[in-house]
Amino acid sequence: MASASLLKSSPVLDKSEWVKGQTLRQPSVSVVRCLPNAPSPLTIRAGSYADELVKTAKIVASPGRGILAMDESNATCGKRLASIGLENTEANRQAYRTLLVTAPGLGNYISGAILFEETLYQSTTDGKKIVDVLVEQKIVPGIKVDKGLVPLAGSNNESWCQGLDGLASRTAAYYQQGARFAKWRAVVSIPNGPTELAVKEAAWGLARYAAIAQDNGLVPIVEPEILLDGEHGIERTFEVAKKVWAEVFFYLAENNVLFEGILLKPSMVTPGAECKERNTPQQIADYTLKLLQRRIPPAVPGIMFLSGGQSEVEATLNLNAMNQSPNPWHVSFSYARALQNTCLKTWGGRPENVKAAQEALLIRAKANSLAQLGKYTGEGESEEAKKGMFVKGYVY
């Protein structure tokens, strides 16, 4: 039980203990000059979590497995529950999350689960801590740490992601609660530009978050989402993504982020959702892999794609196409709706449907596991799984 040992064997140190006597990560060209026999005035932090970060990232990026994104905020979870006629109460959210994490054998296909803060501290309906249930399933618990999108002043109606204030203390607390990786989502809108200001703001925020998360023992999932909104073709998405990813990795390097201890959660290179010309899975794979090869260092262990409103089947087909030949990285998935949509509708809020809903979740998880291995065929998929889930102007 690799992830279980990882979660339980890592000592939790008081900040005053692990900071004392350590050294801050500095660029290799830096020189700190001290007077003879005088103590350094600078208390510097070393990569005290470096080995653990690398190990965690490799576990999450393990063959045939990917991430279940179940970190919807309470408001977003409320929208999902409303779609099946349920009230947005903590009890209903708890019941649904219990259904997800207790699906038998889920860990065969899922290596990590991104949680909302409420869920990280929540128990199942049977009173067992959700974190403990995940560890028993050999699934690494993760945590959404950003505080959402707000308007970016001076931009073309674009947004920026808030949440850096207090992030160090929050990530330290999440580590103590059992989380071992984190997620921060920044977005770029093609119809609104994107402006250089919005791209740089997204990249800088992701880099600062990543550095802070690593300092506190959490593998940062770096998520520069390029929204599906728009009528643009795949070439335009490709050009924008090249710019965005170049900025992101430039600022990650500037902030001394350990590339071996991160995971990337990007959008696939697809045309805008309202583009009349559609592309095949092979074309999407060709563009996306070409982008990865030009922008992503091989040191990054895992590329965990988001689905971004694609149908369940579409997201799986595209992932499968990208895994038809060997890649320098683990190319996998970090899906929310593309794993949960059929499961949620099958459940419908009824206790007698829990088993059937869990089976629907396992079908999707297994399909994407096969896609990560390049062995998905698409046979026997339901009509529900083929329905698109794009929502124009979708607010996460």
Side-chain angles (χ1 to χ4, degrees), residues 281-282 312-322 368 371 376-378:
Q282 188 56 55
E312 291 177 330
V313 170
E314 187 180 11
T316 309
L317 284 170
N318 291 338
L319 178 63
N320 185 71
M322 282 186 269
N368 285 291
Y376 172 73
T377 64

Side-chain angles (χ1 to χ4, degrees), residues 103-263:
L106 185 64
N108 292 329
Y109 318 115
I110 300 297
S111 55
I114 311 173
L115 310 177
F116 188 60
E117 186 175 60
E118 178 182 76
T119 320
L120 183 68
Y121 292 90
Q122 202 168 41
S123 296
T124 65
T125 51
D126 292 332
K128 197 165 188 176
K129 291 181 179 180
I130 285 179
V131 167
D132 292 342
V133 173
L134 289 171
V135 172
E136 289 177 2
Q137 292 256 45
K138 300 182 181 178
I139 298 172
V140 182
I143 177 70
K144 167 187 165 71
V145 299
D146 67 75
K147 293 295 184 179
L149 302 171
V150 292
L152 176 61
S155 72
N156 184 29
N157 294 319
E158 294 161 290
S159 62
W160 67 283
C161 188
Q162 58 187 349
L164 289 177
D165 289 350
L167 182 59
S169 59
R170 285 190 288 118
T171 49
Y174 296 150
Y175 182 94
Q176 292 185 11
Q177 185 62 19
R180 288 298 179 269
F181 70 95
K183 192 202 84 167
W184 177 286
R185 174 180 178 259
V187 303
V188 171
S189 169
I190 292 180
N192 290 359
T195 61
E196 186 173 343
L197 172 65
V199 172
K200 287 187 179 296
E201 175 60 43
W204 177 254
L206 285 166
R208 288 304 306 139
Y209 137 77
I212 294 168
Q214 287 190 339
D215 272 348
N216 290 283
L218 302 183
V219 170
I221 289 184
V222 177
E223 183 178 358
E225 179 175 358
I226 298 172
L227 298 172
L228 277 177
D229 303 63
E231 301 175 355
H232 54 277
I234 196 169
E235 284 282 357
R236 174 63 176 154
T237 305
F238 180 75
E239 293 302 319
V240 170
K242 279 200 301 183
K243 174 65 174 174
V244 171
W245 291 13
E247 293 283 344
V248 168
F249 276 90
F250 172 79
Y251 286 118
L252 287 172
E254 286 284 290
N255 282 273
N256 302 310
V257 171
L258 177 68
F259 287 175
E260 292 87 347
I262 71 170
L263 296 166

Side-chain angles (χ1 to χ4, degrees), residues 103-106 109-110 312-313 316 333 335 338-340 342-343 346 355-371 376 378-382 385:
L106 185 64
Y109 318 115
I110 300 297
E312 291 177 330
V313 170
T316 309
F333 60 93
Y335 294 164
L339 283 173
Q340 298 181 42
T342 301
C343 168
T346 301
K355 184 177 179 181
Q358 289 180 328
E359 289 175 354
L361 173 64
L362 291 172
I363 287 172
R364 289 263 48 86
K366 183 177 181 180
N368 285 291
S369 169
L370 290 170
Y376 172 73
E379 294 178 2
E381 291 284 12
S382 68

Side-chain angles (χ1 to χ4, degrees), residues 5-146:
S5 62
L6 166 67
L7 296 174
K8 294 188 180 297
S9 64
S10 303
V12 176
L13 302 180
D14 181 81
K15 255 321 173 43
S16 62
E17 294 176 334
W18 69 264
V19 170
K20 184 178 180 181
Q22 303 288 342
T23 55
L24 275 171
R25 292 173 298 168
Q26 296 289 325
S28 58
V29 297
S30 296
V31 177
V32 178
R33 300 185 185 278
C34 302
L35 293 174
N37 302 320
S40 170
L42 184 62
T43 302
I44 307 179
R45 274 150 93 167
S48 56
Y49 288 104
D51 291 343
E52 182 182 343
L53 293 168
V54 173
K55 184 178 179 181
T56 300
K58 286 181 178 179
I59 290 172
V60 177
S62 54
R65 300 206 294 169
I67 294 174
L68 169 61
M70 48 180 290
D71 58 320
E72 299 89 350
S73 66
N74 289 348
T76 300
C77 193
K79 294 176 184 178
R80 306 275 169 86
L81 294 174
S83 72
I84 58 171
L86 284 187
E87 187 180 353
N88 185 15
T89 64
E90 183 178 355
N92 284 336
R93 294 193 299 271
Q94 179 191 41
Y96 180 56
R97 290 161 178 164
T98 296
L99 180 159
L100 295 176
V101 302
T102 59
L106 185 64
N108 292 329
Y109 318 115
I110 300 297
S111 55
I114 311 173
L115 310 177
F116 188 60
E117 186 175 60
E118 178 182 76
T119 320
L120 183 68
Y121 292 90
Q122 202 168 41
S123 296
T124 65
T125 51
D126 292 332
K128 197 165 188 176
K129 291 181 179 180
I130 285 179
V131 167
D132 292 342
V133 173
L134 289 171
V135 172
E136 289 177 2
Q137 292 256 45
K138 300 182 181 178
I139 298 172
V140 182
I143 177 70
K144 167 187 165 71
V145 299
D146 67 75

